[in-house]
Amino acid sequence: MIVRLRQPKREITVDGAHTVNQLLDQLDLNRESFLVIRNGTLVPGDGRLQPDDTIEVRPVISGG
Amino acid sequence: MTYSKCRVCRQPAIIDLPRHNANFCAEHLLQLCRRQVEKAIHDHEMLATDDKILVAVSGGKDSLAVWDILIELGYQADGLYIGLGIGEYSDVSLDYAQTFADERGLQLITIDLRGEYGYDVPTAAKVTKRVPCSACGLSKRHLFDKAALDGGYDVVVTGHNLDDEAAVLFGNTLRWDIEYLARQYPVLPARDGFPKKVKPLIRLTEREMAAWCIVRGIDYQVEECPMALGNKHLAYKAALNAIERQSPGSKSAFYLNFVDKMAPLLAGLNQAAAGDLRDCETCGAPTTGEVCAFCRLQERVSGNHPVPVELVLNKKARKAYLAAQAVGE
């Protein structure tokens, strides 16, 4: 699947993650600090991901 | 396909909230957020129904979400955006704030720091040789106070959330900074030329606020302020989220129990430290010296040629900033 990341904006390809939690674990990202969005809709931790999905992993932490 | 169900209606969930040991659909996530804001407002007597409210708006998720929630709850609230002159980041942030206001028919007041006061945050950081967040915070506090008093507002609302407050508490506790700990309360009453200030999002996390914006279709500034990259506040948040991951609910227990149990014990210290204010000789704002910190900063910095953002970043932040510029953010 294609995964869009921020800070800085970039796209990567990820294989083998079947759920949101697996994807975040694979990217070594803390679930408390990110949301996963597919087609404009939030996907929960156990939400299933498909190989042809395009996913945004959005950071939610701000330092201001 | 989703497996988790909303705790309230058993429809498919869109978010898991481990601190509540529950999942929620969009409708009941919004309900949870509204109720948490109502509880904060009620428990701490933050707002009256007929208050004239000024929301400090940055264009980020928290300030737009709190403005959105207050309007939904029936409050009368205008927004104030301060242009801090942080390059393209400030321009884009204003666009998000203005679009939000225009789409809802809300009033957004804007102040441009360089246009009206002759300096910007990067230049202030360079001239004073202090971290950018210092001049930024000082400028925002002064101008929000001034705008609220000049505009006849009863109260200033800021979008500080549970993560923000827990991170500040964590930093103050690491140093056992009793004076700062005594001041850390979600309501600052009006006094001696300062407007009342409240933080209705103290019971909601950053993740919940970002989710609010996504569900409500609110576009906001997702990118981090380049001046904040690598600051201590972010490090404290990362540390707290590492604990939260292992022990859900730790962040809210840390901060909300401080407010309930510790803050009352420190209240006397806060009142003792609040005395001896007089009017600034330049602008009339309350201050402990002859001239307030804002006027001293403006006197020192205004007139300097604008300094580009990248020149005041540390090495790590500059690398991240230039990488972001390279991909057109």
Side-chain angles (χ1 to χ4, degrees):
Chain A
M1 77 194 75
I2 296 170
V3 178
R4 293 182 176 145
L5 300 165
R6 300 274 196 154
Q7 300 176 3
K9 272 185 185 169
R10 60 203 188 279
E11 281 189 0
I12 60 171
T13 301
V14 175
D15 297 318
H18 302 293
T19 69
V20 163
N21 282 341
Q22 287 176 6
L23 173 66
L24 294 176
D25 287 347
Q26 199 166 321
L27 297 173
D28 197 23
L29 300 176
N30 187 334
R31 295 167 205 175
E32 271 300 305
S33 306
F34 293 86
L35 287 170
V36 170
I37 305 165
R38 177 175 52 201
N39 298 326
T41 303
L42 291 168
V43 189
D46 66 352
R48 301 289 294 181
L49 301 176
Q50 304 299 328
D52 58 351
D53 277 342
T54 297
I55 299 294
E56 179 189 347
V57 176
R58 183 178 293 191
V60 300
I61 304 302
S62 55
Chain B
M1 182 185 293
T2 299
Y3 290 104
S4 54
K5 303 290 184 195
C6 173
R7 179 167 82 178
V8 182
C9 67
R10 309 308 297 165
Q11 293 298 304
I14 60 155
I15 191 168
D16 49 309
L17 299 180
R19 76 188 183 103
H20 293 293
N21 193 26
N23 309 300
F24 293 92
C25 68
E27 178 188 345
H28 291 111
L29 170 72
L30 298 184
Q31 181 187 69
L32 171 85
C33 292
R34 281 188 213 100
R35 287 179 175 174
Q36 293 293 329
V37 169
E38 287 179 309
K39 180 169 172 53
I41 290 171
H42 175 267
D43 288 355
H44 300 289
E45 299 178 350
M46 290 183 177
L47 301 171
T49 51
D50 58 348
D51 270 348
K52 188 180 175 191
I53 298 166
L54 185 64
V55 181
V57 176
S58 69
K61 64 186 187 311
D62 304 303
S63 58
L64 294 181
V66 75
W67 197 4
D68 190 41
I69 294 170
L70 291 180
I71 295 298
E72 262 211 331
L73 293 176
Y75 291 97
Q76 186 213 334
D78 297 335
L80 172 60
Y81 174 88
I82 298 174
L84 300 161
I86 307 175
E88 191 180 346
Y89 175 82
S90 287
D91 299 337
V92 173
S93 298
L94 173 59
D95 284 345
Y96 283 118
Q98 193 66 65
T99 300
F100 176 90
D102 291 346
E103 287 178 351
R104 289 157 182 81
L106 300 173
Q107 187 190 357
L108 180 71
I109 304 161
T110 60
I111 295 173
D112 182 68
L113 202 51
R114 176 156 285 282
E116 297 179 43
Y117 293 93
Y119 74 94
D120 52 50
V121 166
T123 307
K126 186 74 174 175
V127 172
T128 61
K129 298 177 182 172
R130 297 190 64 185
V131 292
C133 301
S134 173
C136 182
L138 167 63
S139 304
K140 286 193 290 192
R141 283 192 298 275
H142 178 87
L143 294 174
F144 283 129
D145 289 353
K146 181 177 182 337
L149 295 171
D150 291 350
Y153 290 93
D154 297 299
V155 57
V156 173
V157 164
T158 59
H160 294 99
N161 56 46
L162 174 59
D163 292 68
D164 294 323
E165 294 304 296
V168 170
L169 178 61
F170 191 60
N172 290 339
T173 305
L174 283 176
R175 294 186 299 278
W176 287 117
D177 193 324
I178 299 298
E179 187 181 335
Y180 278 31
L181 285 167
R183 271 191 246 159
Q184 197 180 347
Y185 199 70
V187 176
L188 290 177
R191 69 170 183 92
D192 300 333
F194 290 112
K196 181 179 180 181
K197 294 177 205 166
V198 302
K199 302 173 182 177
L201 300 185
I202 55 161
R203 303 186 62 84
L204 290 162
T205 66
E206 289 199 284
R207 191 164 170 267
E208 290 152 10
M209 286 298 84
W212 172 280
C213 288
I214 292 163
V215 170
R216 292 277 292 162
I218 297 170
D219 287 330
Y220 64 90
Q221 172 64 282
V222 175
E223 300 308 318
E224 182 57 275
C225 172
M227 315 300 268
L229 289 168
N231 72 13
K232 274 193 295 191
H233 195 65
L234 283 169
Y236 294 154
K237 285 185 172 181
L240 287 167
N241 274 348
I243 297 168
E244 182 76 14
R245 172 82 193 276
Q246 296 297 318
S247 178
S250 294
K251 265 187 309 198
S252 59
F254 179 54
Y255 174 67
L256 295 176
N257 286 342
F258 166 82
V259 171
D260 286 344
K261 298 175 182 177
M262 197 66 199
L265 301 178
L266 297 169
L269 293 172
N270 190 24
Q271 286 164 3
D276 299 332
L277 290 174
R278 54 175 147 169
D279 293 346
C280 168
E281 290 179 359
T282 303
C283 73
T287 178
T288 53
E290 292 178 0
V291 177
C292 75
F294 178 83
C295 287
R296 292 200 307 272
L297 177 70
Q298 187 189 6
E299 169 73 22
R300 187 173 172 195
V301 179
S302 64
N304 280 274
H305 193 70
V307 172
V309 171
E310 59 268 28
L311 290 188
V312 291
L313 303 178
N314 62 40
K315 191 174 176 183
K316 186 178 173 187
R318 187 182 304 129
K319 188 177 175 184
Y321 178 75
L322 293 175
Q325 295 292 301
V327 295
E329 285 184 353

